[in-house]
Amino acid sequence: MKELRFYGASDDLFECEGAIREEIGCFSVAGIYHLKSSEGEMQVIANYTDNACWSIGICQVEEDKPIPKWPASYSTHEKGYSVVLTLQVPDDTILVMDEE
């Protein structure tokens, strides 16, 4: 298993750090990471809210396709305006870049 941490930075960046490092610019739209492994797949979604804080959660990739049961926890980022979603994911997990 490897660890991934997701959090918002400033008002326009959605970060993934840990075993995979990535950054998405998402000022006025939701930021979405698509995680995929041999055990399944899910999306991690973030939005910068009207109260100047980040909202972060998970979503299925399609209807009737269950999300994997990966261990997850939440905490508050050290900068105070974002939660941090920490996932323990299988070693073969990758980020899939979805085309819009």
Side-chain angles (χ1 to χ4, degrees), residues 61-83:
V61 296
E62 61 186 64
E63 186 177 354
D64 295 327
K65 189 168 191 174
I67 61 170
K69 294 181 180 182
W70 298 335
S73 64
Y74 282 98
S75 60
T76 302
H77 191 275
E78 64 190 28
K79 297 201 177 180
Y81 53 74
S82 180
V83 296

Side-chain angles (χ1 to χ4, degrees), residues 24-94:
I24 297 174
C26 54
F27 179 67
S28 60
V29 298
I32 301 173
Y33 286 109
H34 182 161
L35 304 176
K36 186 174 186 177
S37 86
S38 59
E39 292 182 16
E41 53 190 307
M42 71 168 66
Q43 293 177 329
V44 178
I45 301 174
N47 188 45
Y48 190 70
T49 66
D50 290 340
N51 65 347
C53 294
W54 283 89
S55 172
I56 300 175
I58 59 173
C59 181
Q60 297 164 249
V61 296
E62 61 186 64
E63 186 177 354
D64 295 327
K65 189 168 191 174
I67 61 170
K69 294 181 180 182
W70 298 335
S73 64
Y74 282 98
S75 60
T76 302
H77 191 275
E78 64 190 28
K79 297 201 177 180
Y81 53 74
S82 180
V83 296
V84 179
L85 168 62
T86 302
L87 294 173
Q88 300 297 322
V89 300
D91 289 332
D92 69 340
T93 301
I94 60 170

Side-chain angles (χ1 to χ4, degrees), residues 3-7 15-22 77:
E3 183 175 281
L4 300 178
R5 292 174 303 283
F6 300 89
Y7 60 90
E15 308 271 342
C16 174
E17 69 175 33
I20 300 172
R21 295 191 56 83
E22 189 67 46
H77 191 275

